[in-house]
Amino acid sequence: MDAKSGANTKTGTLTIGSESCTFPIHQGTIGPDVLDISKLYSKAGIFTYDPGFTSTASCESKITYIDGDEGVLLYRGYPIEQLAEHGDFLETCYLLLYGELPTAAEKKDFDLRVTRHTMVHEQMARFYQGFRRDAHPMAVMVGCVGALSAFYHDSIDISDPHQRMVASIRMIAKMPTIAAMAYKYTIGQPFIYPKNELDYSANFLRMCFAVPAEEYKVNPILARAMDRIFILHADHEQNASTSTVRLAGSSGANPFACIAAGIACLWGPAHGGANEAALKMLAEIGKPERIPEFIRRAKDPNDSFRLMGFGHRVYKNYDPRAKIMQTTCHKVLAETGVNDDLLEVAMELERVALHDEYFIEKKLYPNIDFYSGITLKAMGFPTSMFTVLFALARTVGWIAQWKEMIEDPSQKIGRPRQLYTGATRREYTDISRRV
């Protein structure tokens, strides 16, 4: 039964002062019920107050489900562990967009459509030259993705289902190229064009690390690790950046502008920058022998130091993505043989935290940001690129959420309310009379 179908609808009563109001309660397929308070103001003349939307469902969705208490993450009903273990990223993209896993024929067709759209307009290369060489790659991403609407006028009519799908495929296909170009531009190397014979993740690695002077061979272990990172970051329910995409899209903005808005939100250190923050923390620790000192500080409630990359706002149990990322991380470290002080600190910190009673009791396990930061560093990516890779992977989730919102007949333009605490009405006085 759909949440708002009206069948077997339960109700809940809110008592405000001496007045009681009844509201419908909608039930999802799994997860908590929701009290529909959309008529609260018209009935009671009052708004709800929920900073951060910690108890507010802003939409109905069939895409992703999270049970933070049990450590569950489902894409269209499929556990993330199964998708990451047995599938590839483009299969996950198909699932998020269409709701079902593809058949062999559907997968082949989808892969072909994405592959044929990986190149960007040649004029985009000159667009990059408008940025300073030392610009953060995320600044470049926001500008370039937003600019796609200036190049692809034939896929910005959001009322046309065909144009919506063309725009979706284009963004999934072009995002690795745009991201790799942003990286190459910041390090002063020439752009590398995509190669259609390679799969999605291998192609991206080649565009990032190949140079024209020599042949680049993709390491299959690193390509598989990259693919898993993309799968694990593909969607994560109604988080800050996804909500930003939906809010921008509710105004009727074109899809390229909406995804650019999501990238801008993801750039924030409290959201997409968490793995970069984890590496900065490892740099602060510096040496494995200093770990006990920082463990003591983390336990001290009066110390401002916090272990980044441990625990999660949503997951009160072990982050299911972290288990997969841990295995992938160790495979990459074994393959690359990187000898790095930060990685040595990270591995020792992981060992200590997983066996410390304080962290076990409070369920402060290493999360996906901890392991992904270490993995990406070992693969050769600078920390400034971490959030870019996050944005690349999350693009399909944003698109699926945006597409679902556009096709939802009950969706309205987003217009949050506020609790106003400013000045009450005042009268204007002439500047000569003000004291």
Side-chain angles (χ1 to χ4, degrees):
M1 180 181 73
D2 282 345
K4 294 179 287 188
S5 65
N8 302 318
T9 302
K10 297 192 298 183
T11 60
T13 301
L14 287 179
T15 301
I16 304 168
S18 59
E19 299 292 326
S20 295
C21 302
T22 300
F23 300 95
I25 294 177
H26 301 306
Q27 294 176 287
T29 48
I30 47 178
D33 296 346
V34 298
L35 182 69
D36 184 348
I37 57 167
S38 56
K39 304 293 184 183
L40 176 62
Y41 182 69
S42 62
K43 288 185 175 183
I46 194 171
F47 297 139
T48 57
Y49 183 64
D50 183 19
F53 307 109
T54 56
S55 299
T56 300
S58 61
C59 64
E60 176 187 343
S61 181
K62 295 180 173 67
I63 299 171
T64 302
Y65 173 74
I66 297 171
D67 185 335
D69 293 331
E70 297 298 324
V72 172
L73 172 60
L74 307 178
Y75 290 171
R76 300 285 191 176
Y78 291 95
I80 187 66
E81 300 92 332
Q82 296 178 16
L83 296 172
E85 182 68 28
H86 304 295
D88 63 31
F89 180 62
L90 286 185
E91 181 183 65
T92 298
C93 290
Y94 186 100
L95 173 66
L96 290 172
L97 284 175
Y98 298 106
E100 298 293 341
L101 288 171
T103 64
E106 289 168 339
K107 177 67 163 55
K108 182 178 180 181
D109 174 69
F110 185 74
D111 287 1
L112 181 64
R113 283 190 288 151
V114 170
T115 301
R116 296 300 178 186
H117 277 289
T118 51
M119 290 185 66
V120 297
H121 196 288
E122 190 63 21
Q123 198 171 344
M124 284 287 289
R126 292 196 289 278
F127 189 80
Y128 280 81
Q129 294 170 10
F131 294 97
R132 288 172 53 110
R133 284 283 180 183
D134 60 355
H136 195 289
M138 282 296 280
V140 178
M141 290 291 289
V142 172
C144 290
V145 173
L148 289 175
S149 58
F151 291 91
Y152 301 105
H153 303 286
D154 60 343
S155 56
I156 58 175
D157 181 358
I158 65 171
S159 64
D160 184 341
H162 175 71
Q163 289 197 33
R164 290 200 299 268
M165 190 49 62
V166 170
S168 301
I169 296 296
R170 277 178 170 160
M171 277 188 282
I172 293 169
K174 298 181 191 303
M175 202 61 72
T177 310
I178 293 170
M181 290 172 73
Y183 173 58
K184 287 293 195 182
Y185 184 75
T186 60
I187 62 174
Q189 290 186 2
F191 298 146
I192 301 296
Y193 288 93
K195 200 170 187 178
N196 288 352
E197 67 187 51
L198 296 175
D199 64 38
Y200 192 88
S201 298
N203 206 359
F204 175 65
L205 290 176
R206 178 182 171 275
M207 287 191 288
C208 284
F209 298 119
V211 292
E214 58 189 49
E215 187 65 26
Y216 177 80
K217 293 184 179 179
V218 179
N219 184 314
I221 292 177
L222 300 189
R224 178 57 178 154
M226 191 83 265
D227 206 66
R228 279 187 171 173
I229 290 173
F230 289 162
I231 293 172
L232 297 176
H233 287 88
D235 197 48
H236 209 235
E237 216 189 74
Q238 306 308 316
N239 52 70
S241 58
T242 299
S243 298
T244 298
V245 170
R246 279 183 173 264
L247 192 61
S250 72
S251 73
N254 74 73
F256 303 108
C258 295
I259 301 306
I263 293 172
C265 179
L266 187 69
W267 193 1
H271 190 8
N275 48 16
E276 189 173 345
L279 275 193
K280 288 180 179 178
M281 175 203 68
L282 295 176
E284 183 182 355
I285 295 174
K287 298 178 180 179
E289 50 266 31
R290 296 188 65 196
I291 288 176
E293 171 196 343
F294 283 86
I295 291 288
R296 285 194 299 272
R297 290 183 60 189
K299 295 177 181 179
D300 184 354
N302 298 317
D303 194 311
S304 61
F305 175 77
R306 294 291 179 267
L307 280 181
M308 303 301 294
F310 288 79
H312 195 280
R313 176 178 172 179
V314 172
Y315 297 106
K316 307 309 175 188
N317 205 315
Y318 201 88
D319 182 345
R321 302 169 301 168
K323 297 177 182 178
I324 307 160
M325 200 66 245
Q326 179 191 43
T327 303
T328 302
C329 177
H330 289 173
K331 286 181 179 179
V332 168
L333 292 177
E335 178 65 20
T336 58
V338 175
N339 185 14
D340 186 285
D341 289 342
L342 289 190
L343 299 181
E344 188 179 347
V345 172
M347 292 300 97
E348 178 61 15
L349 181 59
E350 175 200 30
R351 186 193 68 78
V352 172
L354 288 177
H355 293 85
D356 190 291
E357 287 300 325
Y358 174 86
F359 290 95
I360 294 172
E361 179 186 345
K362 293 187 174 294
K363 298 182 178 179
L364 294 174
Y365 303 108
N367 60 33
I368 188 172
D369 299 312
F370 180 81
Y371 290 117
S372 62
I374 301 167
T375 305
L376 293 174
K377 181 174 174 60
M379 292 172 72
F381 288 103
T383 54
S384 61
M385 278 293 291
F386 289 0
T387 316
V388 173
L389 300 180
F390 194 163
L392 193 170
R394 184 56 57 84
T395 294
V396 65
W398 289 332
I399 291 168
Q401 298 275 353
W402 167 83
K403 183 171 172 287
E404 181 181 64
M405 180 209 65
I406 294 296
E407 295 169 359
D408 182 355
S410 67
Q411 187 64 34
K412 303 175 182 177
I413 184 171
R415 181 61 172 87
R417 299 294 190 167
Q418 66 175 10
L419 174 64
Y420 178 69
T421 56
T424 56
R425 178 186 171 93
R426 295 186 283 184
E427 296 300 325
Y428 179 84
T429 57
D430 187 84
I431 191 169
S432 63
R433 299 171 56 193
R434 297 174 203 160
V435 294

